[in-house]
Amino acid sequence: MNAPTAPRDAGAQTGTEVKPLTGQYDIAAAFRRKQSILLDSHASVRDVISHPTGLGDHSEADWVGVLKDFLPERYTVGPIFAVDADGARSEQIDVAVYDRQYSPLWFGSQAGFNIVPVEAVYAVFEVKPTIDTTYIAAACRKVASVRQLRRTSAPIKHAGGAFSATNPTSKHIIGGLLAAKASWVDRTATIAKLEEHLPAIGLDGSLDIGIAVDTIAFDYTPAPTKLGSRQGEIPLEFSAETDQLIHFGIRLFRQLQQLGTVLAIDMGDYESALARQ
């Protein structure tokens, strides 16, 4: 009986040498290119459009595109009005991150804005040309108009039984401000003004994250061990110079990860609206 032949490695079988991968991809450079494209896009349309509505629409579309390109497909991104089971409606939200997998959008749309049950909302953003004290206040008001809606919650069935209904207060709605520029003279002045004018966390109008693409990004991101909790001390942090968009994207994704999945809608609460008519 012949002795078994020892297996040859892949390189010997093909007659070629297997070499380790040596290619590199510069992630930081890719983010910075995206940052430059966003700024160039905003600047080019600003030069030819004088009407503030046209400029605003363009900026919102830019931000929708940036977030869609960055976030996984489980997240839907676009302008919305949020509504609750009592019929209350939020202010117009320029850019929202919301759920389509577990939350039916049965209310349709209005002037290009989807009407979304508040339970489906992960994050809401105000889009402005610059960050200044007036626009910070406007963003806080928009965010509060969503967080003040009543959210329902229902148990979720699974193969082994059911998960209990989640307390809506444990599912924080992220609020933020998106802008191309900061109105203050430099990065140092911008940090000082943000520290002075951003509201404390835990309020209906608190901002969790924001960016002026040409200057800085800021965020209040809970530590990973907090699992999305907004309780306790959460420091205000700022991006390093030139890394605003990188910082913003990573911190937004971290906050979304900590939230997990949106609330399961209690359809009975919404159906009861039919009996009120």
Side-chain angles (χ1 to χ4, degrees):
M1 181 181 293
N2 295 331
T5 302
R8 296 180 296 171
D9 63 16
Q13 291 173 5
T14 61
T16 60
E17 181 182 356
V18 177
K19 297 181 179 179
L21 293 174
T22 58
Q24 295 291 320
Y25 183 75
D26 192 334
I27 295 174
F31 270 101
R32 289 175 183 133
R33 281 195 296 272
K34 191 71 173 182
Q35 182 168 281
S36 296
I37 290 169
L38 182 64
L39 276 177
D40 289 346
S41 174
H42 181 85
S44 63
V45 77
R46 184 188 56 208
D47 290 342
V48 297
I49 297 178
S50 59
H51 194 282
T53 301
L55 182 57
D57 290 346
H58 180 85
S59 297
E60 290 158 21
D62 270 349
W63 279 111
V64 168
V66 168
L67 295 183
K68 279 184 175 180
D69 286 349
F70 179 77
L71 294 175
E73 290 188 0
R74 65 172 290 191
Y75 299 108
T76 302
V77 183
I80 69 164
F81 289 99
V83 296
D84 67 16
D86 301 322
R89 192 190 75 178
S90 73
E91 293 191 33
Q92 174 182 307
I93 303 302
D94 294 334
V95 177
V97 180
Y98 59 98
D99 173 75
R100 282 298 307 268
Q101 185 169 354
Y102 299 108
S103 302
L105 302 186
W106 62 85
F107 297 134
S109 62
Q110 179 176 315
F113 287 73
N114 281 322
I115 312 299
V116 176
V118 66
E119 293 87 350
V121 178
Y122 287 106
V124 293
F125 297 95
E126 177 77 341
V127 176
K128 293 297 184 185
T130 61
I131 290 182
D132 62 19
T133 55
T134 299
Y135 289 152
I136 287 173
C140 292
R141 186 182 67 250
K142 292 285 189 77
V143 170
S145 78
V146 177
R147 290 186 182 144
Q148 289 168 354
L149 298 176
R150 183 174 71 87
R151 291 186 290 168
T152 67
S153 181
I156 299 175
K157 295 287 186 180
H158 59 86
F163 295 117
S164 300
T166 301
N167 185 338
T169 61
S170 69
K171 294 288 187 180
H172 180 70
I173 295 175
I174 298 166
L177 175 57
L178 308 174
K181 298 178 179 296
S183 65
W184 299 290
V185 293
D186 56 25
R187 173 185 164 84
T188 301
T190 298
I191 289 174
K193 289 295 185 180
L194 289 172
E195 290 176 332
E196 178 183 356
H197 292 287
L198 286 174
I201 60 171
L203 304 176
D204 285 342
S206 298
L207 301 182
D208 302 292
I209 193 166
I211 184 172
V213 179
D214 73 335
T215 309
I216 204 163
F218 68 86
D219 69 290
Y220 293 95
T221 301
T225 55
K226 296 289 187 179
L227 296 176
S229 170
R230 312 303 294 181
Q231 303 300 316
E233 187 74 18
I234 304 176
L236 173 60
E237 299 186 73
F238 299 98
S239 61
E241 281 192 86
T242 75
D243 289 346
Q244 298 85 254
L245 199 57
I246 302 170
H247 182 100
F248 171 82
I250 290 172
R251 294 302 174 91
L252 173 59
F253 189 56
R254 278 178 53 185
Q255 292 188 29
L256 288 168
Q257 280 184 311
Q258 291 182 37
L259 291 176
T261 303
V262 291
L263 294 164
I265 295 175
D266 186 336
M267 293 298 295
D269 270 22
Y270 280 88
E271 188 178 7
S272 67
L274 297 173
R276 294 196 294 267
Q277 299 301 314

